[in-house]
C-alpha cells in the first residue's frame, strides 16, 4: 500500500547560487511545517569540484551538503527530509 503525503521535493536554499539569502534550511523547514507538509526535498545546486564547473558554482562544493546536514541536525521537524 502506498501512503500519499503532502510534500515539496524541489526546494532551493541560500546554499544554492540561485537561492534567496534568507532561505536557510532551517527557515525552509519551518515554512514546510507551517504549510502542513510531511516531507521535503532540498535540491540545491552544487558541484563536487567547483573548479571544474562553470562560474555559477564558484563558491560551491561538497561543503554545501555538510553545511545543510549540520544545520538540519539542529532543527527538530518531524518531517521526512531528503538532501
Amino acid at each position: 500500500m502506498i501512503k500519499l503525503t503532502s510534500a515539496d521535493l524541489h526546494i532551493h536554499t541560500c546554499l544554492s547560487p540561485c537561492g534567496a539569502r534568507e532561505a536557510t534550511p532551517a527557515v525552509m523547514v519551518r515554512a514546510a511545517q507551517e504549510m502542513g507538509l510531511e516531507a521535503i526535498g532540498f535540491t540545491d545546486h552544487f558541484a563536487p569540484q567547483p573548479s571544474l564547473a562553470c562560474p555559477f558554482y564558484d563558491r560551491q562544493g561538497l561543503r554545501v551538503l555538510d553545511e545543510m546536514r549540520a544545520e538540519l541536525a539542529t532543527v527538530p521537524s518531524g518531517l521526512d527530509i531528503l538532501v
Side-chain angles (χ1 to χ4, degrees), residues 53-80:
C54 69
F56 182 74
Y57 297 103
D58 279 349
R59 294 182 314 275
Q60 300 302 97
L62 291 174
R63 67 158 185 83
V64 170
L65 296 177
D66 294 337
E67 287 179 26
M68 178 177 289
R69 288 185 176 117
E71 183 172 339
L72 291 172
T74 68
V75 181
S77 71
L79 300 172
D80 290 322

Side-chain angles (χ1 to χ4, degrees), residues 3 5 9-10 14 23-25 28 39 41 55 60 66 70 76-77 79:
K3 179 185 175 218
T5 62
L9 301 178
H10 193 111
C14 60
T24 68
M28 300 310 286
Q60 300 302 97
D66 294 337
S77 71
L79 300 172

